[in-house]
Amino acid sequence: MKRAIGILAVLLFAVPALAQLAGLPIAGGADGMAAGGMRASGGLVLGDDFNLYGVRGTFAPIENLALFGDAGLIDPDMGDMGWALQGGGLFMLPLGLPVDVGVRGALGFGGFDADIPGVDATATLTTINGGVLASKKIEMITPYAFAGLNYAKTKVEIDGADGDASDDETDLAIAGGATVSLNEQISFYGEIAYIDDPFFGAGARFDF
């Protein structure tokens, strides 16, 4: 029992850094999409404690509102390859400014099995991310910046142990990057984010 409690404590302090997956990557600016527009993208997010690999589908039901859904894999340093899902939206604000500005939010979930010899432990993550996104299209390059908050909740369960443990935290979420368009359909993005830890993201996008 004491061993299980000790393992729970170690996991609980180590896992919160992994829970910063909501909203990442930003992967684009606030320039909006035409009604009915669709986009597919894929990429990776590299962090100090974990990496994310995934794909994203984006659809604009009305002008200036884009809804997205992600599915991917989470590769933690302290566990086996797990799963990650998130969804969210971006709404471009009609402010008439020299830069495009929008509000963006995302809800994410993830989970993985901890890699501890002789112990079956599972960690699950829930994150909520929201903030303001600003960008400026300059020819084929669109630099962008994001600032907001990220709430993360971590839960750890050990098979055979009585009960589980959970923890939550709220952190400042900031990111900056740029997209480079090869043509009207194909573009690439790269970004740096900081949510309790630094993250680096890169990928490609295809507009239908």
Side-chain angles (χ1 to χ4, degrees), residues 15-177:
V15 167
L18 304 178
Q20 319 301 342
L21 61 91
L24 294 179
I26 302 298
D31 42 333
M33 297 174 62
M38 294 185 293
R39 173 183 295 153
S41 58
L44 52 83
V45 175
L46 304 178
D48 197 26
D49 298 307
F50 77 99
N51 297 328
L52 284 171
Y53 315 97
V55 294
R56 172 176 294 173
T58 305
F59 173 68
I62 60 175
E63 187 175 4
N64 295 331
L65 174 63
L67 305 177
F68 63 86
D70 296 1
L73 299 174
I74 181 171
D75 183 15
D77 291 344
M78 58 178 298
D80 299 327
M81 187 78 76
W83 56 273
L85 299 172
Q86 70 176 356
L90 167 66
F91 180 70
M92 180 181 172
L93 300 174
L95 300 179
L97 298 174
V99 296
D100 296 316
V101 179
V103 290
R104 187 181 189 277
L107 173 64
F109 303 94
F112 65 90
D113 293 329
D115 187 12
I116 301 176
V119 176
D120 292 325
T122 301
T124 55
L125 323 168
T126 302
T127 60
I128 301 173
N129 179 287
V132 177
L133 177 65
S135 64
K136 176 67 174 180
K137 185 174 178 62
I138 307 170
E139 300 296 336
M140 61 184 294
I141 300 176
T142 303
Y144 60 85
F146 174 85
L149 293 175
N150 187 73
Y151 169 79
K153 182 176 182 180
T154 307
K155 183 178 180 180
V156 178
E157 298 180 355
I158 294 181
D159 291 348
D162 186 14
D164 52 48
S166 63
D167 190 23
D168 59 74
E169 62 178 89
T170 300
D171 297 293
L172 178 67
I174 55 176

